[in-house]
Amino acid sequence: MRFGLAGINHETNTFHSIPTKYENFEKSGMLLRGKEIEKLYDSPSTIGGFYKASQDFDFELIPLMFATTGPLGTITSETFEKLISEILEMIEEKGPFDAVLLNLHGAAVSEEFHDMDGEITRRVRDLIGPEVPFGINLDMHANVSEQMILNTDITNVYQTTPHLDADETGYKCAELVYKTVQKEIFPTQSIETPPMTINIVNHNTNQEPMKSILAESRKLYSDDEVLSVSVAEGYPYSDIKKMGMSFVVITNNNMNKAKEYSKKIAKYAWSKRFEMDSQAPSIEEGLREAVSIREKPVVLMDSGDNIGAGSSADSTHILHKAREIGVSGILQTLYDPEAVEKCMNRIGSMITIKVGGKSDSLHGDPIEISGTVKKYFEGEFEDHGRTHGGTKYFDAGDTVVIETEDENTLILTSKRVGNTSIELYYSLGLNPINYPIIVAKGVQSPRPAFEPIASKIIALDSPGVTASGLHNFNFENRIKPMFPFEKEDALYD
Ligand SMILES: [Zn+2]
């Protein structure tokens, strides 16, 4: 039994001014073809889960192509066509398959297709025909569409934020597809999309109200006909019509029940909407709270510069504010390839240089620092623990450490790497527990890395292309009315 395996995985921040091009996938080192995909074999990722299922259920997985890169702006039409046509050609060449499994994100947007993941499923379904079982596994930030549901047999979604169950949900997706091939089950899927989106600071599934919504959704499993229940939080930084929360229920050959249950869990989440509208403290409030806590380290989440959601990785807003109010002892990364180049040959010497704030106008002005260039590192590191999304291989590019005269430690990187692993600090010989304050660029994704060491984690409402306050953005394509934008007018029943 042969299953085709492929995927294009992208979280598209349509507010980002830099479009995503083919070269971004190439440069990320994650444009993998054929056997190259097998390096993800034992990773705690969706593809790792697909492989585990292939062993347990004894089907052969034929790796075709997998492309992913960090979030940026809208994917150009040319890039999308190049990626999808290669996958479709490979399906044709290496097929026919007994089933197809795709690792998609669910929040990809191209210039031509706002529902890019839906378009991928449409083209794959057209090619393989209506009979071949077809499953997709999505990120919990997916903006799931009706089109994805119509074109697939199994649409499964991570059920944890931070994402620690990519392999588990990937496994489940593959298992259900396998059982569909065996005609053990006849999946029927339904989706509900109430008009609501959630501020990212409330996405953590270990905290209320998401915790209760997940718990409520799990109760549906007491019905034997329920095969899968997915709560998707949605990705609010995609200004598209299908942006928002969604609820997918798959039953065994019982569409009415799938509809009833997806509606039931959607209504429960809707009843919690006002609890999902809380805001994070300002940078100044967060810094003042951090210095009041004696135990090290306090981790401040720079929500506005959420690298994992497409930000520039070089925001200086927190550093400027810290300097203004006299807070130091900060350890943080900053993306600045230009500064890295200037520092690389000056290890051990003093330097005065402007760093950060160079990508665009949203993330603060460059900040002038004086300090000693302490160390150079080539940037590649691995994390063998459980990280957000199951990432194992990281590459910060050429990296230097500067200890500043005002007692901050800045790690300048030449690639945008999310702060989802603390292995970067260890690779640089830095022990993060020695620092009073660590700034992590993200909101939820750095948590698994920092929770074991942080005395407290505080998410800040910092400005930027991923600011948590959604009122900062000018949406043109989202549905209206929608919660929390039009709080009183948004209706659902
Ligand atoms: Zn996500």
Side-chain angles (χ1 to χ4, degrees), residues 169-180:
T169 50
Y171 182 96
K172 183 171 174 178
C173 174
E175 178 183 3
L176 292 175
V177 166
Y178 169 79
K179 288 182 173 168
T180 309

Side-chain angles (χ1 to χ4, degrees), residues 84-368:
I84 188 66
S85 32
E86 191 172 344
I87 288 179
L88 295 173
E89 273 165 29
M90 284 174 144
I91 292 176
E92 260 192 309
E93 247 173 52
K94 310 268 180 186
F97 296 114
D98 298 291
V100 171
L101 293 171
L102 297 188
N103 175 9
L104 304 178
H105 183 290
V109 180
S110 79
E111 288 167 330
E112 192 176 355
F113 300 104
H114 281 191
D115 178 13
M116 192 182 109
D117 300 277
E119 178 64 13
I120 294 171
T121 63
R122 190 187 70 77
R123 294 198 197 183
V124 169
R125 178 54 86 195
D126 271 4
L127 180 65
I128 63 177
E131 303 300 329
V132 177
F134 173 19
I136 57 177
N137 198 45
L138 306 173
D139 188 281
M140 199 165 180
H141 293 117
N143 293 314
V144 189
S145 68
E146 189 77 44
Q147 186 171 214
M148 295 181 211
I149 301 301
L150 289 173
N151 290 321
T152 61
D153 298 280
I154 302 293
T155 293
N156 212 40
V157 183
Y158 303 169
Q159 292 298 272
T160 56
T161 292
H163 310 322
L164 298 175
D165 61 345
D167 52 346
E168 207 180 294
T169 50
Y171 182 96
K172 183 171 174 178
C173 174
E175 178 183 3
L176 292 175
V177 166
Y178 169 79
K179 288 182 173 168
T180 309
V181 176
Q182 296 288 62
K183 301 205 185 309
E184 283 175 41
I185 56 169
F186 299 89
T188 36
Q189 309 194 92
S190 176
I191 181 171
E192 270 296 301
T193 53
M196 67 191 292
T197 188
I198 334 170
N199 181 323
I200 192 120
V201 295
N202 300 309
H203 280 210
N204 193 328
T205 51
N206 298 314
Q207 293 170 357
E208 293 298 349
M210 280 310 297
K211 194 175 170 184
S212 298
I213 294 170
L214 266 298
E216 195 65 19
S217 73
R218 302 305 93 171
K219 288 182 189 165
L220 296 171
Y221 284 108
S222 61
D223 185 327
D224 289 345
E225 282 186 314
V226 172
L227 300 173
S228 170
V229 181
S230 289
V231 175
E233 294 173 318
Y235 182 66
Y237 310 110
S238 288
D239 181 16
I240 52 171
K241 202 173 158 202
K242 65 168 182 136
M243 182 274 283
M245 266 193 118
S246 56
F247 304 85
V248 179
V249 172
I250 311 177
T251 51
N252 190 6
N253 207 15
N254 191 336
M255 185 52 106
N256 286 340
K257 219 176 233 184
K259 280 185 181 156
E260 181 196 326
Y261 285 162
S262 56
K263 182 112 191 167
K264 189 176 177 188
I265 185 64
K267 284 182 92 163
Y268 181 81
W270 179 255
S271 74
K272 294 265 177 193
R273 66 194 182 284
F274 285 96
E275 290 171 48
M276 289 193 266
D277 193 33
S278 67
Q279 305 291 322
S282 70
I283 294 178
E284 181 164 350
E285 287 164 341
L287 283 167
R288 292 200 189 281
E289 187 181 344
V291 289
S292 74
I293 298 169
R294 282 173 182 275
E295 201 187 331
K296 297 178 199 174
V298 175
V299 178
L300 298 178
M301 297 286 182
D302 189 352
S303 309
D305 196 14
N306 183 348
I307 304 167
S311 193
S312 61
D314 70 344
S315 172
T316 54
H317 287 301
I318 294 176
L319 286 171
H320 278 295
K321 181 57 80 178
R323 184 173 285 177
E324 186 191 317
I325 64 173
V327 173
S328 61
I330 296 173
L331 171 68
Q332 76 158 82
T333 60
L334 263 186
Y335 166 73
D336 195 333
E338 193 187 305
V340 171
E341 212 178 312
K342 285 183 185 154
C343 295
M344 268 169 66
N345 298 320
R346 304 194 51 178
I347 308 303
S349 36
M350 285 285 294
I351 195 164
T352 296
I353 190 170
K354 284 189 173 177
V355 295
K358 293 172 187 168
S359 294
D360 56 37
S361 57
L362 294 170
H363 300 94
D365 293 327
I367 185 163
E368 188 171 278

Side-chain angles (χ1 to χ4, degrees), residues 14 114 238-243 474-480:
T14 63
H114 281 191
S238 288
D239 181 16
I240 52 171
K241 202 173 158 202
K242 65 168 182 136
M243 182 274 283
N474 183 21
F475 288 87
E476 286 173 4
N477 301 309
R478 68 169 174 84
I479 53 165
K480 284 177 192 164

